[in-house]
Amino acid sequence: MATPQAAIAASLRRERARAGLSLTEVANRAGIAKSTLSQLESGAGNPSIETLWALCVALDMPFSRLLDPPRPSVQVIRAGEGPVVAAEASDYRATLLAASPPNARRDLFRVTAEPGHARTSEPHMPGAVEHVLLAAGRARAGLVASPVELRPGDYISYPADVVHVFEALESGTWATLMVEYT
């Protein structure tokens, strides 16, 4: 199985070619340096969630397309396995569990986070909605202006095309996150 960096590199090259955009144009749209994009397309570097989301918005693609390898009809991902990407400024990691199949637009992630720094997300693609089901710990999630405190078993959905937040309030916090694209 390819490393997450190799999968990301191949996906970025493929999606940039599909969109017919230059390195410079994609980098400008994503607000990153052209050299950073070039490194990512060559499989170098360890990109943050923030950088990858910005690239997905610039390329008008679901986040999961960066990491989604071909898969068999039955797939099991054990706890602690799967392609993981980390946030830049908080102890927040997302593991892709299921990418959106053809003609559907949703991605499923396992999110782990630790207290200390909230994970503030910039707007995703227009019409995107996040669904969070908290499994363990406590967290505050939702729109930055009005986050909601969640306990295990609590569910929240909110527009993801505006600034939103996920903040762990206890050690060992984890949740299932589904991002729905319209």
Side-chain angles (χ1 to χ4, degrees):
M1 175 180 264
T3 65
Q5 289 83 359
I8 289 167
S11 295
L12 287 173
R13 289 189 306 270
R14 180 187 66 241
E15 293 299 318
R16 187 171 60 79
R18 174 196 55 81
L21 299 172
S22 68
L23 276 170
T24 302
E25 190 165 356
V26 172
N28 287 341
R29 287 182 180 188
I32 65 171
K34 178 181 171 183
S35 60
T36 300
L37 178 56
S38 179
Q39 286 179 334
L40 293 177
E41 284 196 4
S42 70
N46 191 17
S48 67
I49 290 174
E50 293 81 0
T51 298
L52 295 176
W53 273 113
L55 287 165
C56 288
V57 170
L59 290 166
D60 190 30
M61 63 183 267
F63 186 85
S64 63
R65 201 170 293 162
L66 290 173
L67 298 168
D68 188 31
R71 57 189 180 274
S73 59
V74 174
Q75 181 181 17
V76 175
I77 299 175
R78 302 282 181 208
E81 295 180 354
V84 177
V85 290
E88 205 168 16
S90 61
D91 190 357
Y92 177 99
R93 291 165 306 286
T95 303
L96 179 65
L97 299 176
S100 182
N103 303 318
R105 294 178 52 94
R106 58 101 186 113
D107 300 325
L108 188 63
F109 298 89
R110 177 187 308 115
V111 172
T112 60
E114 293 297 325
H117 297 287
R119 161 76 174 109
T120 302
S121 298
E122 292 301 314
H124 303 330
M125 296 165 43
V129 175
E130 287 192 358
H131 303 265
V132 175
L133 177 61
L134 195 69
R138 281 187 317 117
R140 208 175 347 263
L143 303 181
V144 166
S146 57
V148 175
E149 186 170 323
L150 304 173
R151 297 187 180 282
D154 289 350
Y155 162 83
I156 185 173
S157 69
Y158 47 86
D161 55 2
V162 296
V163 179
H164 50 284
V165 66
F166 186 95
E167 178 182 10
L169 302 175
E170 289 181 2
S171 290
T173 295
W174 74 274
T176 300
L177 166 68
M178 183 179 76
V179 183
E180 177 182 13
Y181 306 97
T182 56

